[in-house]
Amino acid sequence: MGDISFEMAGRHVLGLGCERGTPAAEVLALAVEALRAAGIAGTELAAIASIDSRRHEAAILAVASHFAVPAVFFDARRLEQETPRLENPSAIVFARVGCHGVAESAALAAIGADAELLLGKIKSAHATAAIARIGLQKA
């Protein structure tokens, strides 16, 4: 899956990672906390992004539904390409899923080369969240 189109109002992507079976309430609370910390509203989101192994994860799909945005998913190989841009790379995550981060990597991958992290990874007991935005064009 390639970069998502930002022809919509939202110019931010919320990256999410979670353990299988994490309650939707926990992931949604973390998403709301991430938006608050970044100083943006849910209406500024273009998408929710995660790793493809979470494509059917109810909690991630619930967050996308809550904010009425699409959920986009990337394989670990694609997420690993974002490692040089991560604020919080993790060897533990790499050992588990094959990339050094899910939330940050997925948010960056969804936007593409012009992405920058607005909010690095934050955590709850069983989930992670990060927010990327379209970076400013350089003159």
Side-chain angles (χ1 to χ4, degrees):
M1 179 170 276
D3 302 344
I4 65 173
S5 171
F6 285 91
E7 298 300 319
M8 21 175 100
R11 299 188 62 80
H12 299 85
V13 171
L14 173 63
L16 293 174
C18 69
E19 295 175 15
R20 290 195 190 280
T22 300
E26 177 182 338
V27 180
L28 181 58
L30 183 63
V32 169
E33 179 183 339
L35 292 170
R36 182 191 50 73
I40 64 170
T43 55
E44 296 179 71
L45 290 176
I48 304 300
S50 192
I51 192 165
D52 63 355
S53 63
R54 297 301 183 261
R55 180 177 303 280
H56 301 292
E57 192 65 37
I60 290 175
L61 298 174
V63 172
S65 177
H66 176 84
F67 291 111
V69 295
V72 296
F73 301 90
F74 300 91
D75 64 25
R77 193 169 120 211
R78 173 63 186 95
L79 296 182
E80 181 61 12
Q81 293 171 359
E82 298 298 336
T83 300
R85 300 198 298 165
L86 301 184
E87 289 181 9
N88 301 287
S90 169
I92 293 169
V93 173
F94 182 81
R96 289 183 183 161
V97 298
C99 59
H100 281 87
V102 173
E104 290 180 352
S105 295
L108 291 166
I111 296 174
D114 292 332
E116 62 185 21
L117 282 174
L118 175 61
L119 178 70
K121 178 176 69 177
I122 63 170
K123 301 179 189 179
S124 67
H126 306 284
T128 59
I131 298 175
R133 67 179 172 197
I134 296 175
L136 296 174
Q137 297 296 324
K138 302 195 174 42

